[in-house]
Amino acid sequence: MTVGAFEYIKLPAFGNVEYLAKIDTGAYHGAVHVDKFAVNDDDSVTVWLGNQTYKFAPEKIKKTKITSSGGHVSFRPVVQMSVVVQGVAYQTWIGLTSRQKMKFPALLGRYFLRENNFLVDVKINSGYDVDGRRSQ
């Protein structure tokens, strides 16, 4: 399947909330905006998103070292969940973080693209590219 530089995705684990996701071949894991998360004593993770609370069991979580494009290293939970792209559900690992200051609330990385045999055509959905530069 071919995806564009940006795709609308749905996350059933969060009540099928829809996000405009950036397809980021430079990132390994994907990431999704959450308002807040907490790792509990039993190693489960509680997530707050809007006025909803969600809990992920320990077997669906791994703690991963994330290095930002600016070189900042942090550790955060990466949760196994279903992601719906173009109407098809896929299992993958998604990092939980505040993306409030980012242009896009979600991104899908190389792991997701490779494991699900996606190709990226950056001309598809390029109208969502809001960085101010346009190709001629």
Side-chain angles (χ1 to χ4, degrees), residues 14-104:
F14 294 147
N16 265 335
V17 66
E18 187 173 65
Y19 288 100
L20 179 58
K22 177 181 178 181
I23 307 304
D24 188 348
T25 60
Y28 185 70
H29 286 295
V32 64
H33 171 76
V34 298
D35 295 325
K36 186 169 80 168
F37 67 84
V39 178
N40 304 310
D41 290 340
D42 66 355
D43 290 329
S44 65
V45 171
T46 302
V47 175
W48 291 266
L49 183 59
N51 60 359
Q52 300 291 318
T53 304
Y54 305 92
K55 190 170 182 179
F56 293 91
E59 61 271 10
K60 297 285 185 182
I61 300 161
K62 59 184 178 180
K63 193 172 181 180
T64 302
K65 181 174 94 170
I66 306 292
T67 304
S68 73
S69 59
H72 176 73
V73 176
S74 63
F75 289 87
R76 66 175 173 235
V78 178
V79 178
Q80 187 179 40
M81 66 172 68
S82 180
V83 176
V84 179
V85 179
Q86 297 179 359
V88 179
Y90 302 90
Q91 286 295 311
T92 194
W93 293 91
I94 299 286
L96 305 175
T97 188
S98 173
R99 293 185 55 83
Q100 190 171 18
K101 295 180 181 178
M102 305 300 242
K103 292 178 186 174
F104 299 95

